[in-house]
Amino acid sequence: MTRLEQIYAEKVAPDLKKEFGYTSSMQIPRLSFVSLNMGLGEASNNNKLIEEAVVELTAIAGQKAVITRARKSIAAFKLREGMPVGCRVTLRRERMWDFLDKLINFALPRVRDFRGVPDRGFDGRGNFTLGIREHSIFPEINVDRVEHVKGMNVTIVTTAGADKEGKMMLDLLGMPFKK
């Protein structure tokens, strides 16, 4: 059991049960999975960039990243169906908890002029999406070897039914929301 998972079991779950008056432990919101996505618009022209992104996302996640391809051709973007446009990885169970622990405690505090995560990223069903402008905030990335700074999206999918429940769960886990 990872450190963050232990915090969830010992502190967060009982607090959520008490706050929202759940009668069963199965009603308590929990994390389903975490999805990491890197969209690389210029990757369709530069194959080296997509390979670099896959290696870096694999290092960040601890799991092999998959190349995503265009579904449709768009002439204005010089994009054809099937061309690589980014990469993604879905984390579950232990890797998910490890990544969230690393994100909350190591990566986010390394963001320049960090004042907290805005809480606008909730989707109405308790899931939270966070955009990161520089992937180099993660400790696995050697900043000296990075040629192109890439952004990424982190989506935290929960079983919460409402944003209030999801926000409280992430807040109790230590997500640094803006005040």
Side-chain angles (χ1 to χ4, degrees), residues 137-148:
I137 62 171
F138 289 96
E140 294 86 4
I141 303 298
N142 185 355
V143 182
D144 299 332
R145 301 180 111 194
V146 173
E147 290 181 34
H148 300 93

Side-chain angles (χ1 to χ4, degrees), residues 31 117-130 154-158 160-171 175 177-178:
L31 298 175
V117 176
D119 61 354
R120 298 185 308 262
F122 283 97
D123 66 350
R125 296 183 177 177
N127 305 321
F128 182 68
T129 301
L130 168 68
V154 178
T155 302
I156 302 168
V157 180
T158 67
D163 288 347
K164 185 178 177 184
E165 297 169 1
K167 184 177 188 302
M168 184 173 177
M169 178 178 60
L170 290 176
D171 209 9
M175 182 68 77
F177 288 110
K178 282 184 182 175

Side-chain angles (χ1 to χ4, degrees), residues 7-83:
I7 290 170
Y8 173 81
E10 293 173 0
K11 180 180 178 260
V12 176
D15 287 353
L16 288 172
K17 187 172 185 177
K18 184 179 175 185
E19 174 72 25
F20 293 106
Y22 298 127
T23 55
S24 169
S25 61
M26 295 304 287
Q27 292 176 307
I28 300 171
R30 58 190 173 280
L31 298 175
S32 296
F33 60 90
V34 173
S35 177
L36 308 175
N37 179 30
M38 257 188 206
L40 304 164
E42 59 273 3
S44 58
N45 300 333
N46 187 354
N47 218 8
K48 184 182 173 205
L49 185 65
I50 195 81
E51 292 170 8
E52 185 181 299
V54 168
V55 168
E56 290 170 349
L57 191 58
T58 300
I60 290 170
Q63 181 175 310
K64 179 84 166 110
V66 177
I67 296 173
T68 55
R69 301 190 176 274
R71 293 186 202 160
K72 288 195 216 175
S73 298
I74 303 171
F77 297 124
K78 298 179 184 173
L79 186 67
R80 290 204 167 67
E81 186 177 340
M83 289 177 99

